[in-house]
Amino acid sequence: MHVTSARSGGSHGKVHRSVPRRRQNEHVYISAKADYVTRALLVMAADPDGKPVTGAAIAKQQHMPMKFVENSLVDLKRSGLVASVRGTSGGFRLAKPANRITIADIIRAVDGPLAEIRGERPEATVYEGPAEHLQFVWVAVRASLRNVLEQVTLADVVAGRIPRKVLKLTENPDAWKPH
């Protein structure tokens, strides 16, 4: 299983890894790119007028590498999540309303499918013998990711209105502890 986005910590929004990066299939991993791009889109979503914002302004506000942000925003144009605006007051803006862009949309745009097993989608895996029913576990893992990532929009995060069923998952103290 491979999910992409990095852990962000600290008040300055710098990315820190709390666990050393391992080979795929050892843990769910959210890439730095997914984290950075999500934060960039949140900056855009926070502007009530939807005015274009430059990659440099986003990078400065979120303490992220400018070139990385600018290159990522150009890449996101192809996914239909952002649009570019030319001119002296140009930059990037969301291509659709913030309440129609989920965190899952962003992760898929930058890192591909939410869950893969050895590069295959969970439903494409086939096992025999004692592992015959493992496919059900992998499909359930993907469904769990969808139940969170497809339920939270940029507008939800900006407004601090995380859906109740998602917040409920954070109420268990064990959710906050590494295993």
Side-chain angles (χ1 to χ4, degrees), residues 99-114:
N99 65 355
R100 292 192 36 230
I101 300 174
T102 68
I103 304 302
D105 295 332
I106 299 165
I107 291 173
R108 286 183 183 116
V110 298
D111 290 326
L114 295 180

Side-chain angles (χ1 to χ4, degrees), residues 8-176:
S8 173
S11 60
H12 299 294
K14 294 180 182 173
V15 173
H16 299 279
R17 286 201 182 114
S18 58
V19 220
R21 188 169 183 188
R22 299 180 192 156
R23 295 180 188 260
Q24 79 177 34
N25 295 338
E26 291 188 29
H27 64 283
V28 174
Y29 177 76
I30 301 175
S31 72
K33 185 170 187 175
D35 178 62
Y36 284 166
V37 167
T38 301
R39 290 165 48 202
L41 296 182
L42 286 167
V43 170
M44 292 178 212
D47 185 334
D49 300 323
K51 290 180 278 185
V53 61
T54 65
I58 293 169
K60 183 176 181 181
Q61 180 188 346
Q62 291 294 308
H63 309 282
M64 298 185 295
M66 184 177 67
K67 274 294 191 201
F68 185 87
V69 172
E70 289 174 341
N71 291 338
S72 295
L73 292 174
V74 169
D75 291 344
L76 280 179
K77 281 177 49 179
R78 281 173 261 178
S79 71
L81 295 178
V82 301
S84 61
V85 178
R86 294 181 183 202
T88 55
S89 59
F92 294 89
R93 63 174 177 72
L94 297 179
K96 53 187 175 181
N99 65 355
R100 292 192 36 230
I101 300 174
T102 68
I103 304 302
D105 295 332
I106 299 165
I107 291 173
R108 286 183 183 116
V110 298
D111 290 326
L114 295 180
E116 290 184 325
I117 293 67
R118 300 179 323 274
E120 295 181 6
R121 294 180 182 266
E123 71 276 10
T125 59
V126 177
Y127 301 100
E128 297 176 8
E132 176 182 5
H133 303 290
L134 184 57
Q135 178 190 47
F136 292 98
V137 175
W138 299 149
V139 170
V141 168
R142 180 181 59 192
S144 295
L145 291 169
R146 286 176 175 170
N147 276 331
V148 173
L149 300 173
E150 290 180 348
Q151 304 308 311
V152 182
T153 68
L154 291 173
D156 294 333
V157 176
V158 167
R161 291 187 322 252
I162 308 300
R164 181 72 190 131
K165 76 179 200 176
V166 173
L167 275 181
K168 187 145 182 67
L169 296 170
T170 69
E171 292 174 1
N172 181 344
D174 195 51
W176 295 90

